[in-house]
Structure formats: structure tokens, C-alpha cells
Amino acid sequence: MTRFDSYTVVDWSAGLRAPARPSPNAIWIGSVQDGVEQEPVYLRTRIEAEAWLSAFIEREEQAGRRALIGFDFPFGYPQGFVRAVTGSDDPLVFWDWLGERIEDDAEGRNNRFDVAETLNAMFTGPGPFWGKPNEALWPEIPYRKAGIAFDRVPERRQADLRAQASSSCFQLFFNPTVGSQALMGLPMLSRLRRRAGVKVWPFERIEDAQTVFIEIWPGLIEGAVKDDGDPIRDRAQVRLLSRALAHVGEGELRAMLDDVPDGVRQEGWILGAGHEAHLMTAARLPDLMPPPLRNDCFALPAGVDWTPVDDALAMLRDRMRPVVKPQSVPLFEAAGRVLATDLIALRSNPSHPNTAVDGYGFGASDIGDGPQILPLVQGRAAAGAPFVGELPPGHAVRVLTGADLPQGVDTVVLDEDVSVGEGRIAFHGPLKRGANTRKAGEDVPAGDVALSAGRILTPADLALAAAVGHGILPVFERLRVAILSTGDEIAEPGTPAGTGQIYDANRPMLLSLCRDFGFDTVDMGCARDDREIVRRALERAATQADVILTSGGASAGDEDHLSALLRESGAMQEWRIALKPGRPLALGMWDGTPVFGLPGNPVAALVCTLIFARPAMWALAGAGWREPQGFDVPAGFEKRKKPGRREYLRARIRNGRAEVFKSEGSGRISGLSWAEGLVELPDGEAHVSPGVPVRYIPFGSFF
Ligand code: AMP
Ligand code: MG
């Protein structure tokens, strides 16, 4: 289990008591709890910070929540160090060793240089610890690194090398330093980990741990920190790192936790080393989620009897907003997902000026009107194999499609327009400067928005995102949709059905429809017409999904428990929408989760899902409001309709005309299956005769 309820990042400090006013180089703690980013906490001393962490861990544990807590100093030392000091390879033994020796007070005064002297005395020759504020003090600690052999223990751990960390755990002074932070941090961790639920990665098994300590390093997301603009860098680091951990996606977090190379576990590891692109994308995700849906979000204006379809849609459009969190996913897995932020081109497309054809390149200023003869230079430019050097004036060079234009080339003449002789080519001028070439960035310049937030990513979008330099994309988590049928008469498909029973047609239809949309579905089965059973089903669905679709039981009859329950919870609205086929929709909130109570009749259930639930679900999923694209086609049928209700007919196109199913009977499931789309007839009175244009919406447009 890799999910955590909270992701916390601590920027530790070895300094003296920090000023009362939030300042850099003090202790900062950033945290994302249940997906909600907390204001970073500023702590002036290590003693205060330890008390804060201890209380935090206790609170999370008592609430049964799993906490991941990262610290920005090394948990271990290069191979051999811990054994030389303690006689054991277990880094946690060294934590306790330090814990017994390091002293710290409320002003932040501490004895770390004395302890480092003791440690240095255990190694022959100068070091390994070095760096101090005063050259005259602590004779056992070299002021500078020069002269330290690092023969018995290497200067850096494998993790430091992989993460390209600039500092070593043996460096105690001069920026950037982590050595002092570790000496002053490990004793605190040694105390905090005495609590049974706490485990330390990567030294201990963390599977069942309630609280997991990890080592992290803000350098992994330096680009995002730099762009953030927070005047206090440490605050930006903890805010963005906790955001990155919270949003990096469960699979990727698992991969990062598992990615500890063989044989170096005892040195400790920097979580995310080698996965920087993932963390960086996650760190750049938006920090602010819109507030949750309000309990009255389905309220209707008073006094309205039958609501026109467009008014109902406008209300939904106003009130639905994303309820899913952003996360980062590999580009290759991002098709069908909703883009969570604008995607900026990291690189121009094309990245360099190149040739659009096979031919010969030259400088346009070298040629004029009429016949041209140019000497050819040796060599050529091909895609991926550029021409080396600069083309001399008055010459031409062989170029192949996609090749970067060599220096001195701005124009290309097409193979077909050229005669080639020994070392020369001939063709007719003039040619426009830039002919047959593509300019850098002519498709998308670097820095432009390549794809906008809210897009449902298509295969072509992935091509574009890849071309402009992305490998990881910020998307919203998939919307989770729970689907529940209700009714005593409903039997499970494929099982024997008694008299008076009908098979559940809605559930398989709605489940597969929602899966086609790319949502995660939760099959809640079928609930009998029993208030307690329906209540329990709603309770379960609300914990497992972001939105609940139910069918049946949505009217006001004795056995319509769904609407009764929603009414009881105070958050139910009966939407009487002027549309056919349809019955009143029961819209409501159950434990903060929106419920769409659809009619039981499969034809009405599908139409109401496509027309109402679909756009609402996309808005909840972060894709904004999406109108299905219909178009006008000549009718292939005759129909008169009365004013008052908008009508949707099961339809398909044959021979350029919209034909409709032979029966409008709302029980005709075969007509749904026959149809390939819907014909939409306006709210008012209408007389459709063959050849008159009608609006046709293919099922494929309802995505
Ligand atoms: P109700 O909305 O519960 O009054 O149901 C309207 C009609 O739809 C009734 O004839 C129900 O039997 C039928 N119905 C309800 N749920 C389903 C379902 N899951 N599959 C097929 N028919 C259903
Ligand atoms: Mg029923």
C-alpha cells in the first residue's frame, strides 16, 4: 500500500535560534493533507520542531492516518563509515550513537563540532569531517577539504552521485552543506522513531508502517523552486516538495520507493533520485483545488415546474467543478486523461530550421533570376546527421528531408527542379528566401501553450506534447463513478429470473459507457427496494467514488427509496426537466458526493446520462463544460411534435438522411442498440417532414 493520507517535508537546520519573523535558513515544514496543501510551518529551533513533529505523528496515528515524512539530510553515510564508528553496518545504530552524544538547547547552541572531532579521531589522517566557522577552533576538524584522503570511506554515497548532490555528509560548514544538518537531525529521528508505528526507509520494511520517514532532497525539483517566486526559498522547497510527493501518483511513488540499487541500502537513499522529471511535473501542478461541491449545488429556483433542457444544463454548468486531484503520469499512459495545467512547450517545434524536402541548400542572396549554376560542397545534411561546418557563399549542399539547415543555408531547391552534374547543380531562379524550409518554432515556439488545461488528451495531443519536450504530463486523477441499480424486480444478467423479474440492463450499459469516457468505475450491484439496503449502498458508494449514478427508484412512489433517502438527507432536488424520454431526475448530495438519480427505464436512463450526467461528470473530472457536436442533416422521416418538451429520438444516418427507430416506445431497448445517435427536436412545436434539416448528434460526439 503506497497511499498516504499526508505528505510532509521538513527543511532542517543546524543553525542557532531563528528570528521571530519567518526567515530563510530556519526550519520549515510543508504538508499536504488529504490532497489539501497546508500553509508551511515556521519553527525557530530544533527543539520546537521536534515537539511539533512528535505531536503531528501522534495526531496522525490516532486518527488512523498514514503519514509520509521527508527530511532533507542524509539518513546514512558512505559505505564503511557506520561500521568504523559503531562496529555495526546498521545506520540506525549510528543514529542512537549520535543521539547519546549530541546536545542542543533552546537557543540552538550545540556541540556538533565536538562530536565531529570525536568521530574524526576514530579515523587515521585528517577528516573525514571538515569545515568549521572558525579556523582556530576544533583542531581535529580540517578547515578545508584539501588533504583529506577519503580512502577508508568514500566522500559521497551512491545516492549523492545519482542525485548529483553538490554537498557531502562530511562537509560541516560553507554552503551548500548537509553534514551539520545530519549531525543535528539524526538524534531527533532516533528519538521520534521509538514510536512503534514509525519505520525508516530504506532501512526498514515500510509496508505496514503508519508513519514512514524518508530522505529527500529539494535539489531534485530545483527548476520548480526557482520559478516559484517565493522570497523564502526554504518555504518554497517544502511547499513544492510536499506537493510533488502528494501528486506524483501512487505507481510512481511505489517505483521511487522500490528504486534503491542493490548493495547501497545501508547508505540510505534520496527518494526520487533518478525520477526527477516526475517530481518536477508534480511540483508544478496547481496548488489550489476549487472548494468541494456545496450541499445545495442542485438547488432549483423556487416556483419552477418544468425546467427547459437548456436552463437545466446552464445550472449544472454553473455549479459543477473539478473534484479530482492532479497527478503526474508518463506521456505514454496519458491518452484519454484530462490535462490539469496548461502545457508549455519546453522546446520549439521544429527545434531548428530544417528542410521540408530532399534537394540542395544554399543562401538565397547568392542567386538571382534565370539559370543558376552552383558548385556542390562535399558532404550532406540528413535528419539526425547534420552537415558539419559552414557552407561557403556561392555554393550548394545536398540536403535530405528533416535535416537541420547547415550554417549559410536558408533556401532549398527541390530535387525535381535540379540537374546534377559533376560537382555542380543547375536550376532556374528565382527562389524565395526560405523556400522549401521550415522555420524553427513555426509550428509551436518554445514557451507557448501547446495544450490547454482541461483537454482530454488525444493520441495526437501525445504526439504534440512529446514533440515539444514533455515525457511526463500533469493530469487529473480519473473520476471515479459508482453505478447502482435499484429495484426488487431487477435480476442479475445471465442468472435465472423469476416471473415478474427483468434483467438489469442499465448497469452494464452505464458501466461500459463510463469506462469509455475514461472514468474509473465502481460496480455497486443492484439494491433491493429496501431503504436500509439502499442507504448502505449509497454510504459505500460515497466513500469509493467521486460521483454516483443510480437508476430506478427516482420518482416519488412508495418504493422510490432513492429519492426518499436523498430527501431525508436534505440535499435532494427533483429536477423535472422538459425532455422526452425522461422522468424527473433525483439530484442530490450524499456525504458530499453528488448523486444522479436516473430514471429506471433504459432508454430514458441512457438519454438522461448522455444529456445531463455526461457533461456534469466531465466538469467534475476537470475537463470543463463540453457540448456534444451535432450537425444538421435532412430528415428521412415524418413527425409532428407538440410544444413543451425537447425530444430525443433514437436515430442513425443512412444515405445522407437521418432515420429514426420505428417505435418511440421507451421500453424498446432494441431501438437503443439499433441507433447510432440521437435526433434532437426543439422544445417548441415542430413538424418534421422528409428532407427538412434536423439536428443529429452521433453517439461518438458524446465523449
Ligand atoms: P422506476 O424508475 O424504478 O420506476 O423504473 C422504471 C422502469 O424501469 C420500470 O419498469 C423498471 O422495472 C425499469 N428498470 C428499473 N431499473 C432497471 C434496470 N436496471 N434495468 C432495466 N430496467 C430497469
Ligand atoms: Mg423501481
Side-chain angles (χ1 to χ4, degrees):
M1 187 177 68
T2 321
R3 265 217 180 271
F4 291 90
D5 300 295
S6 62
Y7 298 84
T8 302
V9 169
V10 182
D11 184 321
W12 197 243
S13 158
L16 295 173
R17 182 182 182 81
R21 203 164 132 266
S23 317
N25 302 320
I27 297 172
W28 284 95
I29 302 181
S31 192
V32 174
Q33 293 174 26
D34 298 315
V36 180
E37 210 160 294
Q38 311 293 308
E39 190 55 35
V41 178
Y42 173 70
L43 293 149
R44 298 175 63 191
T45 65
R46 285 175 294 278
I47 290 175
E48 276 175 41
E50 184 171 337
W52 189 96
L53 283 163
S54 175
F56 175 75
I57 294 167
E58 175 154 1
R59 224 178 326 128
E60 291 288 84
E61 244 178 49
Q62 279 177 358
R65 292 158 51 81
R66 280 197 100 205
L68 185 73
I69 310 182
F71 298 86
D72 70 335
F73 52 80
F75 281 11
Y77 285 80
Q79 208 85 52
F81 173 83
V82 167
R83 168 165 289 271
V85 175
T86 66
S88 153
D89 278 324
D90 185 352
L92 298 173
V93 172
F94 180 67
W95 289 20
D96 296 341
W97 187 98
L98 266 186
E100 284 160 21
R101 287 163 180 83
I102 288 284
E103 292 161 13
D104 196 5
D105 74 13
E107 291 306 313
R109 287 175 301 226
N110 62 76
N111 65 343
R112 68 182 190 277
F113 290 104
D114 306 313
V115 173
E117 279 202 302
T118 311
L119 285 164
N120 273 356
M122 301 167 122
F123 294 82
T124 48
F129 288 95
W130 66 275
K132 52 188 174 181
N134 185 335
E135 203 167 349
L137 298 177
W138 304 294
E140 283 295 321
I141 302 176
Y143 189 60
R144 296 270 178 224
K145 185 169 81 170
I148 305 178
F150 293 112
D151 46 1
R152 191 147 156 225
V153 241
E155 183 184 8
R156 288 170 206 280
R157 305 173 300 158
Q158 289 302 312
D160 303 326
L161 299 174
R162 169 81 80 88
Q164 298 182 314
S166 44
S167 189
S168 149
C169 51
F170 293 126
Q171 180 184 335
L172 299 179
F173 206 70
F174 311 116
N175 273 328
T177 154
V178 290
S180 281
Q181 281 85 337
L183 292 185
M184 297 311 297
L186 296 177
M188 162 214 41
L189 296 187
S190 141
R191 291 185 287 273
L192 290 178
R193 70 174 282 268
R194 286 187 200 140
R195 196 178 268 282
V198 178
K199 292 285 179 263
V200 181
W201 176 88
F203 309 139
E204 300 180 288
R205 276 181 52 85
I206 60 166
E207 277 62 28
D208 310 313
Q210 185 97 34
T211 304
V212 176
F213 288 170
I214 54 156
E215 175 188 336
I216 42 90
W217 181 51
L220 298 180
I221 57 157
E222 177 56 27
V225 172
K226 221 193 244 144
D227 295 345
D228 182 74
D230 189 328
I232 300 182
R233 203 179 134 76
D234 314 58
R235 180 168 61 195
Q237 288 179 334
V238 298
R239 195 159 35 70
L240 296 181
L241 251 188
S242 55
R243 182 190 303 175
L245 292 173
H247 294 331
V248 77
E250 208 173 329
E252 192 53 33
L253 184 59
R254 171 88 272 157
M256 296 190 321
L257 288 165
D258 289 343
D259 186 11
V260 183
D262 286 344
V264 308
R265 195 166 286 274
Q266 300 302 332
E267 289 189 341
W269 192 254
I270 295 169
L271 187 87
H275 302 249
E276 289 81 355
H278 264 286
L279 282 176
M280 190 83 91
T281 304
R284 290 185 195 274
L285 287 168
D287 57 329
L288 202 57
M289 287 290 295
L293 296 181
R294 295 157 51 112
N295 240 10
D296 62 356
C297 70
F298 293 119
L300 288 171
V304 175
D305 192 13
W306 286 93
T307 309
V309 173
D310 285 339
D311 294 2
L313 289 175
M315 276 187 277
L316 280 181
R317 182 189 182 133
D318 269 2
R319 298 166 192 194
M320 296 295 102
R321 52 185 48 125
V323 294
V324 281
K325 285 186 296 176
Q327 64 170 164
S328 65
V329 297
L331 173 114
F332 279 88
E333 291 159 28
R337 305 296 297 272
V338 180
L339 198 61
T341 61
D342 285 350
L343 201 69
I344 307 293
L346 301 174
R347 189 181 206 242
S348 292
N349 184 49
S351 61
H352 290 95
N354 64 35
T355 169
V357 298
D358 289 351
Y360 296 86
F362 47 82
S365 49
D366 290 343
I367 64 155
D369 288 358
Q372 310 288 322
I373 295 183
L374 292 180
L376 268 180
V377 295
Q378 288 285 326
R380 58 170 208 176
F387 178 81
V388 207
E390 188 173 347
L391 184 72
H395 286 67
V397 60
R398 178 75 174 137
V399 295
L400 298 177
T401 307
D404 288 355
L405 295 186
Q407 271 196 49
V409 173
D410 59 16
T411 305
V412 171
V413 59
L414 199 65
D415 264 355
E416 289 87 318
D417 298 337
V418 175
S419 358
V420 185
E422 189 65 32
R424 298 178 305 162
I425 56 165
F427 57 94
H428 283 285
L431 262 107
K432 251 175 86 181
R433 181 185 300 276
N436 298 312
T437 67
R438 307 173 181 133
K439 288 194 258 320
E442 72 174 26
D443 181 26
V444 186
D448 265 23
V449 173
L451 292 164
S452 303
R455 254 193 100 78
I456 301 170
L457 292 166
T458 65
D461 292 344
L462 300 192
L464 177 57
V468 298
H470 291 273
I472 312 278
L473 299 182
V475 299
F476 284 112
E477 287 181 350
R478 290 181 198 276
L479 187 76
R480 297 166 305 163
V481 186
I483 293 173
L484 172 71
S485 291
T486 62
D488 281 341
E489 76 280 28
I490 310 295
E492 189 65 13
T495 63
T499 41
Q501 284 204 297
I502 59 166
Y503 286 114
D504 191 346
N506 291 341
R507 229 170 80 240
M509 174 173 71
L510 297 175
L511 281 166
S512 77
L513 186 69
C514 288
R515 270 182 221 129
D516 282 354
F517 290 152
F519 303 147
D520 273 340
T521 53
V522 186
D523 183 357
M524 301 304 301
C526 183
R528 287 200 294 108
D529 282 324
D530 173 311
R531 194 146 310 180
E532 285 319 301
I533 292 176
V534 177
R535 183 199 305 277
R536 275 200 298 275
L538 285 177
E539 272 164 9
R540 264 189 306 129
T543 62
Q544 293 174 27
D546 305 305
V547 54
I548 304 169
L549 299 187
T550 69
S551 64
S555 308
D558 291 348
E559 294 301 331
D560 289 321
H561 300 289
L562 186 96
S563 39
L565 279 167
L566 287 175
R567 202 168 284 122
E568 185 187 297
S569 79
M572 138 94 183
Q573 286 286 331
E574 187 176 72
W575 284 41
R576 290 145 66 83
I577 301 166
L579 115 152
K580 189 181 161 191
R583 295 268 296 276
L585 295 185
L587 301 191
M589 298 291 284
W590 189 269
D591 286 346
T593 303
V595 182
F596 286 82
L598 301 161
N601 179 298
V603 177
L606 183 65
V607 168
C608 289
T609 303
L610 292 178
I611 304 297
F612 295 103
R614 177 200 62 89
M617 287 191 290
W618 275 124
L620 296 169
W625 192 256
R626 305 174 65 78
E627 308 268 359
Q629 295 303 311
F631 47 91
D632 287 351
V633 284
F637 62 95
E638 167 110 29
K639 177 173 166 73
R640 283 176 189 280
K641 93 174 255 305
K642 291 194 290 252
R645 294 212 282 171
R646 186 172 296 185
E647 285 190 31
Y648 290 92
L649 309 178
R650 283 151 280 176
R652 63 186 196 184
I653 295 186
R654 289 294 181 272
N655 303 318
R657 290 180 168 230
E659 33 180 71
V660 294
F661 191 58
K662 59 182 190 250
S663 157
E664 287 182 22
S666 64
R668 299 286 195 106
I669 301 178
S670 68
L672 274 187
S673 156
W674 171 93
E676 293 164 8
L678 299 173
V679 156
E680 181 185 63
L681 298 180
D683 300 3
E685 184 176 352
H687 178 196
V688 179
S689 46
V692 169
V694 288
R695 188 122 198 106
Y696 175 75
I697 311 171
F699 283 142
S701 288
F702 292 103
F703 58 90

